[in-house]
Amino acid sequence: MSTPLNPATESFWRQYLDAAPDASSARRWFYEAFRIGTTADSADVGALLITRGIKTATSSLLWEYEALHKPLPQVGSLSILENGRDEPVCVVETTELLTRPFREIDELFAYQYGEWDRSLKSWRLRCWRIFLDQCQELGREADHTMPLVCERFHVIYPR
């Protein structure tokens, strides 16, 4: 991606490249620096859950990628997770990427999402609200067939 990294994240990425078994491959697979959540506090919680290995999955509206003309990550993509203060926390690798309708999210994915009580019921309730707001911002109508990009990942380089 072409979005410049902030100085702390850039420095962290260079540290990762120095430690990586194949730095040139890592550079090619770099996707983005990102935060989990919609607020600084939720980004801090998401970062904590990911670094503890509790959260190993996330989802986004496919329509958001399309509106931004942003390519999807791929299996093998490397991204830098930042906390709510835009500080780098770890490098994660995408291990699985599926696009599926909201209604087809299953209990395992909700559990691996790692948030709330990790149940499918809670995932549906909480994520519906999040995606409803995003749909409104995009001028789309939320429904149970809205396409989600479902990503599984693991931490490959902790801070």
Side-chain angles (χ1 to χ4, degrees), residues 15-144:
Q15 290 171 14
Y16 167 69
L17 291 175
D18 288 344
D22 185 351
S24 63
S25 176
R27 279 187 200 90
R28 285 192 306 276
W29 282 101
F30 180 73
Y31 181 67
E32 68 179 347
F34 74 105
R35 291 171 35 166
I36 294 288
T38 56
T39 66
D41 287 342
S42 63
D44 284 342
V45 169
L48 183 64
L49 292 172
I50 289 169
T51 58
R52 289 186 175 169
I54 296 167
K55 182 175 183 63
T56 59
T58 194
S59 58
S60 306
L61 277 173
L62 177 62
W63 298 332
E64 189 171 27
Y65 285 93
E66 292 171 347
L68 296 171
H69 304 287
K70 180 180 177 181
L72 296 177
Q74 300 174 24
V75 171
S77 290
L78 303 177
S79 297
I80 304 165
L81 174 67
E82 295 176 331
N83 63 20
R85 293 166 305 288
D86 298 325
E87 299 165 335
V89 173
C90 62
V91 176
V92 297
E93 179 180 10
T94 300
T95 58
E96 182 179 37
L97 195 74
L98 302 169
T99 301
R100 57 176 43 151
F102 181 89
R103 70 173 171 229
E104 290 183 19
I105 298 302
D106 59 26
E107 290 179 22
L108 177 60
F109 188 83
Y111 183 81
Q112 292 171 336
Y113 211 79
E115 297 185 47
W116 313 299
D117 67 1
R118 301 179 83 173
S119 72
L120 181 58
K121 181 179 179 179
S122 291
W123 183 92
R124 285 182 176 155
L125 180 66
R126 301 294 288 269
C127 286
W128 180 263
R129 291 182 194 144
I130 293 166
F131 294 136
L132 178 64
D133 289 345
Q134 291 175 346
C135 283
Q136 289 173 345
E137 290 173 16
L138 294 168
R140 303 292 297 251
E141 188 168 331
D143 66 34
H144 293 283

